[in-house]
Amino acid sequence: MAVQTTSDRPRKLAGYDFYHQILGSPKLIVAPMVDQSELRILSRRYGAQFCANNPSQLLASALAVQDHCDAVDINLGCPQDIARKGHYGSFLMDEWELIHDLINVLHENLSVPVTAKFRIFLSVEKTVAYAKMLESAGAQILTCHGRLRTQRGQNTGLADWAHIKAVKEAVRVPVFANGNILFHEDVEKCLKETGVDGMMSAEGQLYNPALFAPASSGNPSSTLTGAHPLHADLALEYLAIVKSLKMPTSTSAVKGHLFKIMHPALSRETDLRERLGRIRGSNIVEEYIEVAKEMKERMERDAAEVMKGGQMIDDLITIEPTTGLRVLPYWLSQPYFRPLKSPTEASERASSPIPTSHEDVKRARLSGQSAVGDIDISL
């Protein structure tokens, strides 16, 4: 395969020149997620890759798309089983020479920059060394997900912003942070505490694609700074996108997205949950739309009934006792988390609050426990 030499190519922008002049200095970024591309379109309306383990194959694929994109991003952070089986993502973290080659071959041969997303190691020092290796290989933007490779599913726990801050202070290229974004107001908090250039969200977008959008001028809440639309409206908007795409979307992926987007009410509207789960056949998207429309009617009915006395949304927000996290009215889009399972765990949780410092998180990891017990806040 013939490749261009450096002297054959026009100068491409790098680092902050690329970040400012080509990307437009974004602060809010939707993360790369396997099989979630069509939902990223919806997320983008509300404000808002490659995985490989063979440098030559990666380059061949990247060359095919370089004229249709601003950059090529390598996702080195995926901890899912599909990444383990395929030997990519975070399961390459211990193969630094290979990772260096993956990034460097793109840096040397593409007409567009290469960027990389990665997870942290247990020690800040190793995390920083890893980030500096990625930078030296040619990555022009780094996204640091402040969780270990083992922090997933029931063991997700908190992301460690101290690692992210250390990475930002150690490298010269732009850095994006990833982790612990539940509500819109968490974005500004992360930017302030870590000093990063931008904030990336992954699973938070699956439950509330409007996560990055500020509250509208008619916002009926004084405490929520972000948009929390009727989740059924988001579901219908998502299904309209699915219908508009030239390539068909996996029906199982569509169903999974709908269960996430409408999750606040599906535990109440059990008939719709069961109907959604049973949908099969050739006219699937239209049947999904009918379920979402029925959900919208019920949610609008319930919201009107509850709020007819002039109540504010703030009056309806409750606090989940084992986590201290806010729970919004069930007709609104909102983050997902798993509360602790038993009164015993809740009692232990009450005497051991969610850690906020790097040392608290590190102690929890060393003890072999999730930093927040069984709370899934991988957002």
Side-chain angles (χ1 to χ4, degrees), residues 33 56 79 124 249 276 283 290 331:
M33 291 176 281
S56 62
V124 173
T249 302
L276 187 61
N283 200 29
E290 290 306 310
W331 53 83

Side-chain angles (χ1 to χ4, degrees), residues 278-320:
R278 290 197 306 264
I279 291 177
R280 303 284 191 279
S282 58
N283 200 29
I284 290 177
V285 174
E286 293 300 327
E287 291 188 58
Y288 286 151
I289 290 174
E290 290 306 310
V291 171
K293 285 182 176 178
E294 176 64 24
M295 179 67 83
K296 176 179 171 64
E297 290 180 8
R298 297 184 189 185
M299 296 301 99
E300 289 179 336
R301 176 201 65 200
D302 290 0
E305 178 65 25
V306 171
M307 302 186 71
K308 65 183 180 182
Q311 288 180 299
M312 298 275 288
I313 290 295
D314 294 343
D315 301 324
L316 305 175
I317 294 175
T318 59
I319 302 298
E320 203 290 314

Side-chain angles (χ1 to χ4, degrees), residues 49-334:
Q49 306 193 14
F50 274 111
C51 297
N53 58 23
N54 183 298
S56 62
Q57 291 178 358
L58 175 62
L59 178 59
S61 299
L63 286 169
V65 302
Q66 68 173 351
D67 294 333
H68 307 283
C69 60
D70 294 323
V72 170
D73 184 62
I74 300 181
N75 183 3
L76 299 170
C78 182
Q80 305 303 326
D81 289 338
I82 190 173
R84 183 195 300 274
K85 294 175 183 176
H87 191 56
Y88 58 82
S90 66
F91 296 96
L92 298 180
M93 285 178 68
D94 298 319
E95 301 179 47
W96 289 26
E97 183 176 350
L98 173 58
I99 290 175
H100 182 281
D101 291 346
L102 288 169
I103 294 174
N104 191 250
V105 72
L106 300 187
H107 175 62
E108 293 293 335
N109 293 288
L110 293 184
S111 60
V112 295
V114 57
T115 63
K117 179 176 183 283
F118 65 98
R119 287 195 169 221
I120 64 172
F121 291 88
L122 185 59
S123 78
V124 173
E125 294 76 16
K126 190 170 184 179
T127 299
V128 168
Y130 186 52
K132 294 180 76 170
M133 179 274 290
L134 299 176
E135 180 186 33
S136 68
Q140 300 305 312
I141 293 178
L142 295 176
T143 298
C144 181
H145 184 164
R147 290 186 175 91
L148 303 170
R149 178 172 60 198
T150 54
Q151 286 184 272
R152 51 174 293 226
Q154 298 286 348
N155 297 315
T156 295
L158 286 177
D160 193 336
W161 286 355
H163 278 72
I164 300 173
K165 180 180 180 180
V167 167
K168 170 59 183 172
E169 293 173 349
V171 300
R172 292 171 293 179
V173 297
V175 174
F176 298 153
N178 184 203
N180 296 357
I181 302 303
L182 289 155
F183 294 93
H184 183 270
E185 47 266 37
D186 295 328
V187 172
E188 197 59 39
K189 180 180 179 183
C190 180
L191 292 173
K192 182 178 180 180
E193 291 191 16
T194 62
V196 294
D197 301 282
M199 180 66 235
M200 180 179 285
S201 174
E203 291 188 54
Q205 297 289 333
L206 300 181
Y207 293 95
N208 179 13
L211 176 63
F212 285 159
S216 64
S217 56
N219 177 32
S221 169
S222 61
T223 61
L224 297 171
T225 65
H228 295 273
L230 200 73
H231 51 68
D233 283 337
L234 288 178
L236 288 167
E237 190 172 353
Y238 164 68
L239 289 167
I241 291 172
V242 171
K243 288 187 65 175
S244 72
L245 297 176
K246 295 180 180 179
M247 294 294 291
T249 302
S250 164
T251 54
S252 62
V254 175
K255 182 179 295 185
H257 288 323
L258 293 176
F259 269 105
K260 288 182 174 68
I261 292 172
M262 296 191 293
H263 83 91
L266 285 173
S267 61
R268 300 172 54 94
E269 311 298 327
T270 55
D271 62 319
L272 294 184
R273 182 183 64 195
E274 293 171 3
R275 186 172 153 195
L276 187 61
R278 290 197 306 264
I279 291 177
R280 303 284 191 279
S282 58
N283 200 29
I284 290 177
V285 174
E286 293 300 327
E287 291 188 58
Y288 286 151
I289 290 174
E290 290 306 310
V291 171
K293 285 182 176 178
E294 176 64 24
M295 179 67 83
K296 176 179 171 64
E297 290 180 8
R298 297 184 189 185
M299 296 301 99
E300 289 179 336
R301 176 201 65 200
D302 290 0
E305 178 65 25
V306 171
M307 302 186 71
K308 65 183 180 182
Q311 288 180 299
M312 298 275 288
I313 290 295
D314 294 343
D315 301 324
L316 305 175
I317 294 175
T318 59
I319 302 298
E320 203 290 314
T322 66
T323 64
L325 298 175
R326 288 171 292 177
V327 179
L328 309 188
Y330 58 85
W331 53 83
L332 299 179
S333 58
Q334 56 193 285

